[in-house]
Amino acid sequence: NVPIASDYSFRGVSQTDREPAIQGGFDVAFDSGFYLGTWGSNVESSGFDGASMELDVYGGWRPTFDKLTLDLGALGYLYPGNDGNGDDIDTVEFKLGVSYDFDVVTPGFTFYYSPDWYATDDSAQRYELSAAIPLPMDFKLVAKYGWNEFSYDSDNDYQDWSVALTKEVVGVTLGIAYSDTTGFDEDAYCGAPFQCGSQFIA
């Protein structure tokens, strides 16, 4: 897959100073439910200790029982070329998710946990609710709401939400999304390049 986006927004926070992103990924899924994948994107180097690229590697087990799907996996967020300022900002995160397909809507819940969030020596966790709704004419509506909590500084705790509308056209997925954040002081915690708050993304 090769996405092109007007901004790379990760959990409501821009990773590219609200500039466009060119991304790409490759996934392999097995009948047993196990999967492996990798994904990359440009990022604003001033926010990642000189690294201009994020490279993710991930894997897990995603079994399906009739219309119930579980997802147990691990993700690595890697930043090749970061000088680290003495610290390695590469981050590992674990996830446990569940969803159920009711045909008219697929609600889901995913819990994410990182024991060392971006070289802070402290943990971070995220609780995410989601819902995917198939619409006529191959449109799809996807909504997400997430709570982000950080043990190193509760002042950084925040929530983010998004609503996205997508449509497949000749094998290409077109989409537009609106996202927003709340729960912390945007003036203090949303400086460039990590801008947050309300925005549209295409």
Side-chain angles (χ1 to χ4, degrees):
N1 61 82
V2 182
I4 300 174
S6 60
D7 179 25
Y8 171 21
S9 179
F10 177 68
R11 299 175 182 174
V13 180
S14 177
Q15 311 293 286
T16 53
D17 203 8
R18 292 199 171 174
E19 294 295 327
I22 299 177
Q23 305 166 338
F26 180 82
D27 298 87
V28 178
F30 303 93
D31 292 339
S32 61
F34 287 98
Y35 64 90
L36 294 169
T38 184
W39 181 89
S41 176
N42 60 291
V43 296
E44 174 51 54
S45 61
S46 63
F48 295 92
D49 291 333
S52 59
M53 175 186 180
E54 173 186 330
L55 177 63
D56 300 346
V57 291
Y58 47 86
W61 184 48
R62 189 183 293 124
T64 299
F65 307 96
D66 191 16
K67 295 186 177 183
L68 178 71
T69 300
L70 303 178
D71 189 358
L72 176 65
L75 307 93
Y77 304 100
L78 312 178
Y79 300 91
N82 81 88
D83 59 31
N85 291 322
D87 294 311
D88 186 353
I89 64 172
D90 294 345
T91 297
V92 174
E93 187 176 56
F94 304 94
K95 69 173 180 177
L96 176 61
V98 60
S99 63
Y100 191 90
D101 186 357
F102 288 98
D103 294 329
V104 294
V105 60
T106 302
F109 172 77
T110 306
F111 172 69
Y112 297 87
Y113 174 78
S114 173
D116 183 11
W117 188 248
Y118 287 86
T120 58
D121 293 324
D122 282 298
S123 63
Q125 46 273 335
R126 172 180 173 84
Y127 310 87
E128 182 180 283
L129 292 172
S130 63
I133 303 172
L135 300 174
M137 300 175 61
D138 293 327
F139 281 95
K140 179 190 287 186
L141 185 69
V142 178
K144 294 182 180 180
Y145 193 99
W147 293 262
N148 305 279
E149 298 179 354
F150 307 94
S151 62
Y152 60 91
D153 188 352
S154 61
D155 288 339
N156 286 345
D157 294 355
Y158 75 100
Q159 299 83 49
D160 64 274
W161 63 272
S162 64
V163 178
L165 182 67
T166 64
K167 176 179 173 58
E168 285 203 14
V169 180
V170 196
V172 176
T173 301
L174 305 176
I176 186 168
Y178 179 84
S179 70
D180 203 352
T181 54
T182 185
F184 54 22
D185 185 346
E186 292 186 5
D187 292 333
Y189 296 103
C190 294
F194 301 115
Q195 300 188 54
C196 54
S198 60
Q199 66 167 319
F200 282 98
I201 302 172

